[in-house]
Amino acid sequence: MKSIRLVICIYAFLFCNNQLLFADGTINNDSLYTEEYIKSIYIAEPKRALELLDGAENRKTISLQVINEMRSLSYRNMFMNKLAFMYAKKAYLLDSISQKDPKHMLKMTVYLAELSAIMSKYDESMHYALNGIRQAQELGDREARARLFFCMGENNWRLSFKDKAYDYFDRTIELLRGSKNMREMMLLSYYYGAKMGFLMNDSRIEEALEVGFEREKQIERLKALPQVPVGYVDGQYSYLYSKLAYIYYVEKKYVQAEQYYQKYLSKKESHTPDGKMYSVPYLMLSGQYEKVIDNCREFKELMKAQQDTLNEQYLTILRQEVKAYQGMHNYKEVAELQENILAITDSINTRDRKNAALELNAMYGVSEKEEYIAEQASQLKIRNITLCFLACIVVLTLFILWRLWCFNRTVKYKNRMLARLINEKFANRKDGNQLSEVYGQQAISSEIEPELISSEELEELSNETDKISGEEEENKKIFQELNQIVIQDQLYLSPELSREDLARIVHLNNARFARMIRECTGTNFNGYINELRINYAIKLLKMHPNYTIRAIADESGFNSTPILYNLFKKKTGMTPYEFKKAQETFK
């Protein structure tokens, strides 16, 4: 009886222990189907991540929106961009319908913008980016804004708007610099590398080297974080060292270049198909063309087997092969690759993206397209020539407009200064119509050149030479009285005023009158009267800005507008119209 009880107890113990072990195994297995675990492996093991996501969907341990998001990330890491776009679009539509998680919807908007750019759908990419920026500003999401800014920069760079592209790159980096968030730090490292690559493509080597050193510091900061995904830091270093090796080789620092290349080879990423492509620029520059071809071929086979779109990334591989074969002087292979490049470029621009993978396979089996490719090349050449011609015209037009703007600005500044000087002089005067320095209280000295004395005046003056010395004092008194009459009665405003009219007022003959004017004003009768008229014209221009120049000329006693223009220009250095416009700036 006791033995039976003992056996029952043993079986009960074993059963309970087995149930506990089974439960523990179930818990351990379920822990594999969590969002946290799958996100930690999708970079290093994207295929396994996809398998776990299928299990998570069956077990319903993760929401469908998040599953589609992580599928998109995994396929994107495998360069299967069409599938990545499809799953991102599914997640985006689910979020649009539910409207429960605007942050996740924003994340999917970012993915769609980036994937559209990768697939050369720049219009669609810009559409998603602009919508995403609006959402990110509403939610205060700095990471999303940074990704969308950089995406717009990449689109502009590929569309040859380089200055605008680098402006977006710099805005992205400044937005993320100094962040302590791991995701934002990882993004910043990536953007450093991407900008570095663009600078290298644009032959801005020194700037690229500076960005490379900044990225190395950023990777060191990331390396110190315990939660960085497996393989991430290795990939970052692999990419960076390959580019630094290239830059130092360009700078003819071959020892440093080889050192960084060896550092690159020490990383696991350098032995993967995509990691091998990092070293292609360095190998190309150092003349290791066969290695370039081997690396490109391996990566091309990977894309041919897995890639579901035709895009710029594949064209880049083909172009690298062209350069390598050119270095080996294998022009037959160069010609074949050039044909493929032209055909693929045409396909990207004209055919449905959904058939891209089928078109890529067809490209390798079709050889009867030479005539069509030649026609496309000719049209492309004509278009480029036309664009260059139009660009030259635009640049020339802008230059001419700029020169005109500079000239007008200089003239306006000069006129403003002259007008200010005239205004200051008039402000110090008691009577705006009196002459200064010599014969009264005029503040503005005469700048009108003395008019030549006629032969009649010379003859008259010569006959009275002996009488001059005794008449000077008397002439000054007479002129002061005459000047006062002319100014007070504004006789100078009469266009019909003559020398004889004024001579009769002071009861002098013509010779004596001419001598008096010369002694007291330094000019002749016409110069004296015109000086008063010009001063009056200046006064009218200041007091009545709405008067026309013709009206000013008539009011000032000039017979015609050209005479006013000529005398005004000589006195002030600018025309009446320019003086009038300059006065408007002081209001």
Side-chain angles (χ1 to χ4, degrees):
M1 189 71 178
K2 292 181 178 180
S3 61
I4 294 174
R5 289 179 180 177
L6 180 61
V7 170
I8 292 174
C9 290
I10 292 173
Y11 274 110
F13 173 76
L14 292 174
F15 177 78
C16 292
N17 184 61
N18 183 61
Q19 291 299 315
L20 290 172
L21 291 174
F22 178 77
D24 184 60
T26 303
I27 293 172
N28 289 335
N29 288 335
D30 286 343
S31 67
L32 299 178
Y33 299 99
T34 61
E35 179 180 352
E36 292 76 13
Y37 179 74
I38 297 175
K39 281 187 175 180
S40 69
I41 68 167
Y42 81 89
I43 294 178
E45 302 177 79
K47 290 184 178 180
R48 184 162 179 260
L50 289 170
E51 293 175 357
L52 293 175
L53 287 170
D54 291 338
E57 185 175 5
N58 294 330
R59 294 167 182 257
K60 297 183 180 179
T61 57
I62 306 175
S63 67
L64 188 56
Q65 288 97 320
V66 175
I67 288 175
N68 286 330
E69 172 201 345
M70 297 177 68
R71 281 173 174 159
S72 177
L73 290 171
S74 300
Y75 279 119
R76 184 173 179 177
N77 196 47
M78 296 166 62
F79 303 102
M80 302 179 72
N81 296 317
K82 184 178 179 182
L83 286 173
F85 183 87
M86 181 184 72
Y87 281 110
K89 189 69 174 288
K90 285 184 177 182
Y92 176 81
L93 292 175
L94 288 172
D95 287 328
S96 300
I97 294 171
S98 66
Q99 293 291 327
K100 293 181 179 179
D101 193 351
K103 290 186 177 181
H104 192 266
M105 181 177 175
L106 172 60
K107 186 188 294 185
M108 293 303 98
T109 305
V110 174
Y111 289 177
L112 292 172
E114 294 174 342
L115 288 165
S116 298
I118 291 173
M119 295 188 295
S120 305
K121 300 179 180 179
Y122 302 122
D123 290 342
E124 191 171 351
S125 175
M126 296 297 285
H127 170 74
Y128 283 119
L130 292 173
N131 287 339
I133 289 174
R134 177 181 54 79
Q135 298 175 41
Q137 290 175 339
E138 292 175 357
L139 297 173
D141 193 324
R142 182 170 61 177
E143 176 188 333
R145 285 179 62 201
R147 295 179 67 168
L148 293 168
F149 276 139
F150 202 87
C151 179
M152 295 177 72
E154 290 178 314
N155 291 338
N156 279 282
W157 190 90
R158 293 190 176 96
L159 293 171
S160 298
F161 301 122
K162 299 295 179 69
D163 291 338
K164 195 172 183 180
Y166 283 111
D167 178 61
Y168 278 117
F169 295 157
D170 292 337
R171 290 173 68 181
T172 304
I173 290 172
E174 285 301 320
L175 192 61
L176 297 177
R177 183 175 287 152
S179 174
K180 302 299 182 182
N181 180 276
M182 186 193 72
R183 287 183 56 83
E184 292 181 357
M185 292 174 69
M186 293 170 66
L187 274 177
L188 180 57
S189 176
Y190 167 77
Y191 293 144
Y192 274 133
K195 183 182 178 182
M196 184 180 176
F198 287 125
L199 288 169
M200 291 167 63
N201 285 333
D202 292 334
S203 300
R204 297 163 67 169
I205 301 301
E206 293 183 0
E207 295 177 66
L209 187 61
E210 293 178 4
V211 174
F213 290 146
E214 289 293 327
R215 189 183 191 191
E216 189 172 20
K217 295 176 184 178
Q218 184 68 13
I219 297 173
E220 286 294 326
R221 289 190 285 268
L222 281 166
K223 188 178 180 180
L225 299 179
Q227 66 270 34
V228 175
V230 177
Y232 175 79
V233 172
D234 182 87
Q236 295 283 291
Y237 275 125
S238 177
Y239 178 88
L240 176 61
Y241 290 151
S242 66
K243 301 309 174 188
L244 289 175
Y246 171 83
I247 291 174
Y248 276 116
Y249 201 94
V250 170
E251 296 291 318
K252 298 182 180 180
K253 298 179 181 180
Y254 304 119
V255 175
Q256 292 94 324
E258 181 61 25
Q259 289 175 350
Y260 275 107
Y261 182 64
Q262 292 303 320
K263 285 185 178 182
Y264 156 78
L265 292 176
S266 68
K267 303 301 177 183
K268 294 180 181 179
E269 182 77 8
S270 66
H271 302 290
T272 63
D274 51 333
K276 288 181 179 180
M277 294 305 300
Y278 298 161
S279 64
V280 167
Y282 171 77
L283 296 173
M284 189 78 71
L285 188 63
S286 59
Q288 303 179 55
Y289 301 120
E290 292 183 358
K291 288 185 179 180
V292 172
I293 293 171
D294 290 340
N295 291 353
C296 290
R297 183 180 296 115
E298 186 174 348
F299 191 78
K300 209 165 63 171
E301 290 299 323
L302 174 66
M303 295 187 72
K304 186 177 178 181
Q306 296 182 337
Q307 184 67 286
D308 56 349
T309 57
L310 295 175
N311 51 53
E312 289 293 332
Q313 187 179 30
Y314 191 84
L315 288 176
T316 301
I317 304 303
L318 295 181
R319 292 186 184 109
Q320 295 287 6
E321 285 187 310
V322 168
K323 292 179 181 179
Y325 279 118
Q326 286 176 339
M328 298 171 63
H329 305 292
N330 189 343
Y331 299 110
K332 180 179 179 181
E333 292 291 339
V334 170
E336 292 179 0
L337 287 171
Q338 290 285 13
E339 290 180 1
N340 286 334
I341 290 172
L342 289 173
I344 293 172
T345 302
D346 176 68
S347 178
I348 290 174
N349 294 330
T350 58
R351 298 185 183 181
D352 186 6
R353 300 298 195 273
K354 294 181 180 180
N355 297 322
L358 295 176
E359 291 171 351
L360 177 61
N361 293 328
M363 287 299 173
Y364 283 91
V366 177
S367 59
E368 300 178 354
K369 292 187 176 180
E370 295 182 0
E371 182 178 352
Y372 178 73
I373 293 173
E375 181 182 353
Q376 292 297 308
S378 176
Q379 292 179 359
L380 181 62
K381 184 177 180 180
I382 293 172
R383 187 189 67 179
N384 290 339
I385 293 174
T386 303
L387 290 175
C388 290
F389 178 72
L390 292 175
C392 290
I393 292 177
V394 170
V395 170
L396 181 60
T397 303
L398 291 175
F399 176 76
I400 294 173
L401 292 175
W402 176 76
R403 292 294 298 172
L404 289 174
W405 178 81
C406 291
F407 176 77
N408 290 334
R409 183 181 179 185
T410 302
V411 171
K412 288 180 180 178
Y413 177 78
K414 182 204 72 173
N415 292 340
R416 190 163 59 252
M417 293 299 101
L418 290 173
R420 180 176 296 169
L421 178 62
I422 293 171
N423 291 339
E424 290 174 354
K425 289 182 177 181
F426 264 84
N428 296 327
R429 290 173 47 188
K430 296 180 179 179
D431 191 324
N433 292 314
Q434 292 179 349
L435 295 171
S436 67
E437 297 183 12
V438 179
Y439 56 90
Q441 300 171 354
Q442 177 182 342
I444 300 178
S445 61
S446 175
E447 297 178 4
I448 300 178
E449 297 179 2
E451 297 185 10
L452 295 177
I453 302 175
S454 65
S455 58
E456 180 182 357
E457 290 176 331
L458 286 173
E459 183 178 354
E460 292 175 352
L461 288 172
S462 62
N463 294 332
E464 301 293 336
T465 301
D466 297 334
K467 301 178 182 180
I468 289 176
S469 57
E471 298 175 350
E472 290 182 358
E473 291 299 325
E474 185 180 358
N475 286 346
K476 289 181 181 179
K477 294 179 180 180
I478 295 174
F479 177 77
Q480 288 179 356
E481 296 175 358
L482 175 65
N483 185 55
Q484 186 175 2
I485 294 172
V486 170
I487 292 174
Q488 288 181 351
D489 297 343
Q490 295 185 328
L491 301 179
Y492 57 88
L493 298 182
S494 172
E496 307 300 329
L497 182 66
S498 66
R499 182 180 61 179
E500 288 75 14
D501 295 335
L502 296 186
R504 282 195 296 271
I505 292 175
V506 294
H507 307 290
L508 296 178
N509 59 41
N510 290 341
R512 173 78 179 273
F513 182 82
R515 188 163 56 251
M516 179 189 69
I517 293 296
R518 174 68 61 180
E519 290 174 356
C520 297
T521 67
T523 183
N524 60 13
F525 168 77
N526 289 334
Y528 164 61
I529 296 301
N530 287 335
E531 179 81 7
L532 295 175
R533 289 171 177 172
I534 291 297
N535 289 338
Y536 189 77
I538 292 174
K539 181 179 179 180
L540 288 178
L541 286 169
K542 290 169 60 66
M543 294 177 59
H544 304 286
N546 58 324
Y547 278 21
T548 64
I549 303 301
R550 176 62 186 175
I552 296 294
D554 293 341
E555 289 289 330
S556 302
F558 291 103
N559 290 322
S560 65
T561 303
I563 295 176
L564 172 62
Y565 264 87
N566 185 36
L567 295 175
F568 200 97
K569 180 76 172 178
K570 287 182 179 180
K571 176 178 177 61
T572 66
M574 56 181 161
T575 66
Y577 178 78
E578 291 172 341
F579 179 80
K580 182 179 180 181
K581 297 297 291 185
Q583 289 299 315
E584 295 176 0
T585 62
F586 299 128
K587 295 181 180 180

